[in-house]
Amino acid sequence: MKCLVIVLVCAVLAEGIHRIPLVKHKSIRERMMEKGERLPYQDPALKYFPSEFAGSATMYINNYADTTYYGAITIGTPPQSFQVLFDTGSANLWVDSVLCNTQACSEQPHKVQPQQSSTYSANGQTFYLPYGAGSLSGVFGYDTVNVGGIVINNQEIGLSTNEPGQNFVVAQFDGILGLSYPSISAGQETPVMDNMMSQNLLQANIFAFYLTSDGQQGSELSFGGVDNTKYQGQIYWTPVTSQTYWQIGIQGFQINGQETGWCGQGCQAIVDTGTSMLTAPTQIMGTLMQSIGAQQDQYGQYTVNCNQINSLPTLTFTINGQVSYHVSVVHLCLSACVCIALNMRVLLSIQNNQVCSVGITPTYLPSQNGQPLWILGDVFLMQYYSVYDRTGNQVGFATAA
């Protein structure tokens, strides 16, 4: 948003009234953008009601192709701005750094420069972080971090030194901010959320996601409270079953309203904003694909005829024993070469012969207690406003507005 500063000065002189020409000045945000720096969004109303909004913040986050949700944070003094993926499936905060010379780093315009921050201090500890797609290594340090206007002092930060492969080369973000439990943090470093809690920066120890779909912008991440305008009805809560990831229990799974029995003895699910798709237990993958009408090609990829995607069944999860979460099928063609069929918003990519590859992927690992493990990624979370409660150790879902 551009700010137009108009200066009107009238001087009554003996010769008459002289008018000073109007001058358009660039805003602070515009000047920072010219330097490649980006500021996180902060509600302008904070200056009018600072006490009312103290301890909570809502920030806009970007939606990239319904697969990645990221937003701006700043690190250091003076602040250096970075776009980070907000990930409930990991615990560490890391960003690209000038200490890294691999392709993924060299092609990124925004790299943290610790020597330019007066509040930075080195840790000396190294780390390695594997993800479902890609991995990296680096060193830890401490600095001031601003997330949506909430300022965390002495936050542990990972500075990348090696980002092999191509995964982070094509990424739309400069780093990842993990929001899971500290028990899975590499190097036993304290996550951002835990520092917010210990520094008493939040009026409630919760955060919440509203993820838009169909490539629309307007996604939100709230800390310390919920945005009542982003969901309908009430929030239903279910307990966290393992304080590692945001893991919850599933008591039933239906296809077109018919109970499969696959979770009759219980299943587990990780609620993960850092995973785009729905991930199903490998032992039921074949039967699930058969029920969808998908065929496995010579490359092991399951595909369906794109002309038949409107007939795909509805999938339903029963969570907390009584609340059913339905995901219906919606067909949307975004372009001549990309097609999305929503079955849990299952992404399907069109091939030349109008065959769509199904975006449900298998996981070969069971949960910690041996029960079948699902991952509820963005395709699920687009349809449900999700709330993560660290005090009550529970996850809440409500129908997204």
Side-chain angles (χ1 to χ4, degrees), residues 158-222:
L159 286 69
S160 69
T161 57
N162 183 30
E163 299 178 28
Q166 294 294 306
N167 290 286
F168 295 122
V169 173
V170 299
Q172 300 296 310
F173 48 83
D174 310 313
I176 294 177
L177 192 155
L179 290 165
S180 66
Y181 284 84
S183 60
I184 65 167
S185 174
Q188 299 182 324
E189 299 296 288
T190 305
V192 168
M193 183 65 184
D194 288 78
N195 274 328
M196 286 185 180
M197 293 162 57
S198 64
Q199 295 177 26
N200 297 314
L201 300 176
L202 302 175
Q203 61 186 16
N205 294 328
I206 64 175
F207 59 92
F209 278 92
Y210 171 74
L211 302 184
T212 55
S213 60
D214 302 335
Q216 298 297 310
Q217 298 304 318
S219 299
E220 285 187 0
L221 169 57
S222 298

Side-chain angles (χ1 to χ4, degrees), residues 28-47:
I28 294 175
R29 184 176 295 272
E30 286 179 305
R31 291 199 298 271
M32 292 190 70
M33 287 178 66
E34 288 180 350
K35 297 180 180 180
E37 300 174 359
R38 291 165 287 181
L39 291 174
Y41 173 80
Q42 201 165 345
D43 194 327
L46 285 173
K47 75 174 186 178

Side-chain angles (χ1 to χ4, degrees), residues 66 250 253-255 262 268-272 274-281 284-285 288-289 292 313-317 325 327 341-347 358-363 373-383:
D66 292 356
I250 293 176
F253 178 73
Q254 299 87 42
I255 300 175
W262 296 339
Q268 297 291 301
I270 293 172
V271 186
D272 187 0
T275 295
S276 302
M277 304 299 183
L278 172 69
T279 300
I284 62 97
M285 185 69 177
L288 177 58
M289 292 297 99
I292 291 175
T314 297
L315 307 183
T316 303
F317 291 92
Y325 294 89
V327 187
L342 269 52
N343 180 7
M344 288 295 292
R345 281 199 62 90
V346 175
L347 276 92
V358 180
I360 299 179
T361 57
T363 179
L373 179 67
W374 299 76
I375 298 176
L376 305 180
D378 298 334
V379 290
F380 177 84
L381 297 171
M382 290 177 207
Q383 303 193 43

Side-chain angles (χ1 to χ4, degrees), residues 57-61 86 88 179 193 202 204-211 219-228 230-231 235 237 246 273 381 384-390 395-398:
T58 294
M59 58 186 298
Y60 298 140
I61 55 179
F86 292 99
T88 59
L179 290 165
M193 183 65 184
L202 302 175
N205 294 328
I206 64 175
F207 59 92
F209 278 92
Y210 171 74
L211 302 184
S219 299
E220 285 187 0
L221 169 57
S222 298
F223 287 96
V226 300
D227 185 344
N228 296 323
K230 297 304 180 184
Y231 64 90
I235 297 173
W237 297 94
W246 287 96
T273 59
L381 297 171
Y384 296 100
Y385 187 79
S386 58
V387 188
Y388 307 78
D389 178 5
R390 282 293 301 273
V395 179
F397 296 113

Side-chain angles (χ1 to χ4, degrees), residues 82-97:
F82 303 93
Q83 297 285 335
V84 295
L85 170 70
F86 292 99
D87 180 21
T88 59
S90 65
N92 292 88
L93 167 61
W94 68 268
V95 290
D96 298 322
S97 84

Side-chain angles (χ1 to χ4, degrees), residues 275-321:
T275 295
S276 302
M277 304 299 183
L278 172 69
T279 300
T282 184
Q283 59 266 41
I284 62 97
M285 185 69 177
T287 308
L288 177 58
M289 292 297 99
Q290 185 178 9
S291 69
I292 291 175
Q295 302 291 325
Q296 197 169 22
D297 62 21
Q298 66 270 30
Y299 305 106
Q301 177 68 56
Y302 286 96
T303 63
V304 295
N305 188 313
C306 290
N307 295 324
Q308 299 175 351
I309 59 176
N310 284 324
S311 62
L312 292 176
T314 297
L315 307 183
T316 303
F317 291 92
T318 301
I319 297 175
N320 203 18

